[in-house]
Amino acid sequence: MQKALNDQVLMEAESSQAYLAMAVWADVQPGLEGITKFFYQQSDEERGHMLKLVQFINERGGKADIPALPKPMKNFKTVKNMFDQFLKHELKVSSSINSLVSLSLSEKDYATHNFLQWYVNEQMEEESVARTLNDKLELIGDDKSGLYLFDRDILNYRSKS
Ligand code: FEO
């Protein structure tokens, strides 16, 4: 279980780096202030997810392993392309959390199972946000005024944890 939780530490750290790279990409495009802020905040949130795991592992008598990180994707063709990556990444995280939940049950590790419920809920929320934003971008297509409004309103769609 400890090894699997440490693998999840890596995944959350990778998420934080991936969203930081997205924030930077958006930050240097003209007029994407909302999207930039969204990904800076998302990156911070993922670091929080990582820390929560690190502290849980240590509290349970294990030792968290702080990993080296691969380079994140830094260039995106379009805003839509970046949000596709965002959704894809969150789906990968959800599947990894689900595997952890299965493992905790098969090992009868009920404390970890209980701890993981927070992540199950969080993933439902994050997937839903990522899907909503992708649907909106699908509707907007190449419409610049639509993108203007999307960027203006995006912070209303952030998940809360
Ligand atoms: Fe912590 Fe968005 O996965």
Side-chain angles (χ1 to χ4, degrees):
M1 194 75 242
Q2 179 175 218
K3 160 84 174 76
L5 288 171
N6 270 320
D7 288 346
Q8 191 63 31
V9 167
L10 170 62
M11 188 167 262
E12 301 293 345
E14 271 181 354
S15 306
S16 181
Q17 286 292 91
Y19 301 154
L20 185 58
M22 289 180 185
V24 168
W25 182 84
D27 208 359
V28 298
Q29 315 290 318
L32 299 182
E33 288 81 6
I35 295 173
T36 300
K37 215 180 254 180
F38 175 88
F39 280 110
Y40 277 129
Q41 289 179 2
Q42 196 65 35
S43 173
D44 280 349
E45 204 175 277
E46 297 298 349
R47 185 167 190 280
H49 298 174
M50 178 197 67
L51 276 178
K52 215 174 160 75
L53 277 158
V54 162
Q55 284 158 0
F56 178 76
I57 295 167
N58 292 342
E59 273 163 20
R60 297 286 299 158
K63 183 166 186 269
D65 185 27
I66 305 306
L69 296 177
K71 275 191 183 164
M73 194 182 284
K74 291 181 197 165
N75 291 308
F76 305 92
K77 282 196 206 91
T78 59
V79 168
K80 176 73 174 92
N81 173 248
M82 185 167 73
F83 277 83
D84 281 337
Q85 292 302 322
F86 173 44
L87 176 58
K88 210 166 127 193
H89 195 84
E90 286 304 321
L91 293 174
K92 200 168 107 186
V93 174
S94 293
S95 142
S96 172
I97 294 290
N98 290 341
S99 304
L100 280 175
V101 171
S102 299
L103 184 65
S104 68
L105 281 179
S106 69
E107 293 196 357
K108 296 192 178 3
D109 183 346
Y110 300 116
T112 300
H113 182 264
N114 187 46
F115 168 76
L116 288 171
Q117 296 316 300
W118 184 88
Y119 286 85
V120 171
N121 289 326
E122 177 67 13
Q123 280 317 116
M124 284 198 301
E125 212 177 295
E126 297 219 319
E127 264 185 48
S128 152
V129 169
R131 279 209 177 84
T132 302
L133 294 174
N134 271 283
D135 289 348
K136 286 189 182 300
L137 286 170
E138 198 70 56
L139 272 178
I140 289 166
D142 293 331
D143 176 10
K144 287 218 162 74
S145 52
L147 184 59
Y148 170 84
L149 295 175
F150 177 89
D151 185 78
R152 190 194 64 181
D153 296 340
I154 187 171
L155 294 179
N156 299 333
Y157 292 95
R158 283 205 72 256
S159 64
K160 284 144 212 84
S161 16

